[in-house]
Amino acid sequence: MVGMDPDEAVSTIDDMVCFALYAASRAVTSAYRPLLQALNLTYPQYLVMVVLWQRGSITVKDLGDHLQLDYGTLTPLLKRLEAAGLVTRRRRADDERSVEVGLTDEGRELRESTRHIPIAIGDAMGMPEAELSRLRDSLRRLTNNVSTHGSGA
Amino acid sequence: MVGMDPDEAVSTIDDMVCFALYAASRAVTSAYRPLLQALNLTYPQYLVMVVLWQRGSITVKDLGDHLQLDYGTLTPLLKRLEAAGLVTRRRRADDERSVEVGLTDEGRELRESTRHIPIAIGDAMGMPEAELSRLRDSLRRLTNNVSTHGSGA
DNA sequence: CACGAGTAACTTGTGCACAAGTTACTTTGG
DNA sequence: CCAAAGTAACTTGTGCACAAGTTACTCGTG
């Protein structure tokens, strides 16, 4: 390892962890796409719905903290979900700065149509539960490390 | 595990491998951003440059196969790199359908300014070499599984 | 109360990603 | 040779991501 040919120090693109991550993320999103398209959802929209199905309602700020997405991404995305009749958006009475996002009946009902998705995806991933668990832990640690090290977000 | 509360079957967003992947990918890209910004490159542009530094020149098609990106992404990206004076684009003489992407002198020289980046990123990731290697292997297998299973791409 | 700091949300602009449709060139089979 | 199939690249349109700037509201301090 030490003293490699300088031309190989960076190795090929296929040896870069960052590329493996970038490619895997897009590949998994692609696997979701046909399943979600049937429900007229994109992958980020699905993530928002998952949070809402769990929590019932949440401010845009808290949603951004959970998904690590900013307002520039969430505001238009939530407007599209609202236009699709799945969520509601209204200012909180006790703090007019905050917008509370909630589910419509249609949004709540949509959950039933997604029950098969985690199974289908887990199947497509084709990896034992233990390895997926290890992978998830590594990814979480990686995310924590680079985001605290980086710009101190 | 078996027989969980149905409300918890999907678990929270934080338990989803796909979300860990999505968040990690964006976090790592964010770690690259300040380093690449100094060179006026985005992360996908940097990946293209890495391939070119390795191979010298390559057709858009082959570049797309390596990075798993389509023309809709690459064509405008390559035009921006060309406008920045880093790459050249010209039709191949032996097959006028193909466009060969090559490096300008400036593009070749830029490589020296990126030597510190892999070290800085490896540092920020803060994980032992062995774990990164295991992670990369899992990610590659995952990518292969979901892309062959999925739509048979 | 007033005012300055802080905060939540929105807007604008740039650059990916990707689907779907188009154009130009090459190859194959009659 | 020529038509049909195939291929490489481009274009258009939609939806993220994210930086930077703006607006509106809240809170703390004097």
Side-chain angles (χ1 to χ4, degrees), chain A residues 1 12-13 67 73 102-103 135 145:
Chain A
M1 268 303 181
T12 64
I13 197 98
L67 299 179
T73 301
L103 287 164
L135 177 59
N145 291 352

Side-chain angles (χ1 to χ4, degrees), chain B:
Chain B
M1 269 304 183
V2 178
M4 295 168 117
D5 176 355
D7 259 32
E8 297 297 327
V10 177
S11 11
T12 63
I13 197 99
D14 294 310
D15 293 333
M16 294 166 64
V17 175
C18 67
F19 175 70
L21 195 52
Y22 168 73
S25 178
R26 284 184 299 118
V28 169
T29 301
S30 287
Y32 272 97
R33 196 166 295 117
L35 303 175
L36 294 177
Q37 208 152 38
L39 311 174
N40 269 296
L41 287 177
T42 64
Y43 179 68
Q45 287 168 10
Y46 172 67
L47 292 179
V48 167
M49 294 304 288
V50 168
V51 173
L52 285 172
W53 288 325
Q54 222 93 59
R55 314 230 333 180
S57 81
I58 190 171
T59 63
V60 180
K61 164 104 178 90
D62 285 347
L63 191 54
D65 288 345
H66 275 284
L67 299 180
Q68 297 166 222
L69 289 171
D70 72 1
Y71 294 107
T73 301
L74 288 175
T75 296
L77 187 156
L78 291 170
K79 284 184 178 180
R80 280 187 284 270
L81 287 179
E82 186 182 36
L86 299 176
V87 311
T88 56
R89 291 162 66 242
R90 62 172 206 285
R91 294 273 162 189
R92 291 184 62 137
D94 62 331
D95 187 343
E96 289 277 343
R97 289 171 304 178
S98 294
V99 167
E100 186 95 20
V101 181
L103 287 165
T104 63
D105 288 343
E106 195 184 341
R108 243 180 302 273
E109 286 161 17
L110 188 65
R111 187 177 191 181
E112 296 313 314
S113 311
T114 65
R115 297 294 187 193
H116 65 294
I117 292 181
I119 293 102
I121 294 295
D123 208 55
M125 287 182 171
M127 286 169 67
E129 197 63 43
E131 185 171 1
L132 282 179
S133 179
R134 230 176 332 105
L135 176 59
R136 193 188 55 214
D137 290 349
S138 285
L139 291 172
R140 280 208 288 236
R141 204 137 30 74
L142 188 62
T143 303
N144 272 331
N145 291 352
V146 300
S147 37
T148 51
H149 254 272
S151 42

Side-chain angles (χ1 to χ4, degrees), chain A residues 22 26 33 60-61 71 75 79 89 97-99:
Chain A
Y22 167 73
R26 284 184 298 118
R33 194 166 296 118
V60 180
K61 163 102 177 95
Y71 295 108
T75 297
K79 284 186 178 178
R89 291 161 66 242
R97 290 171 305 179
S98 295
V99 168

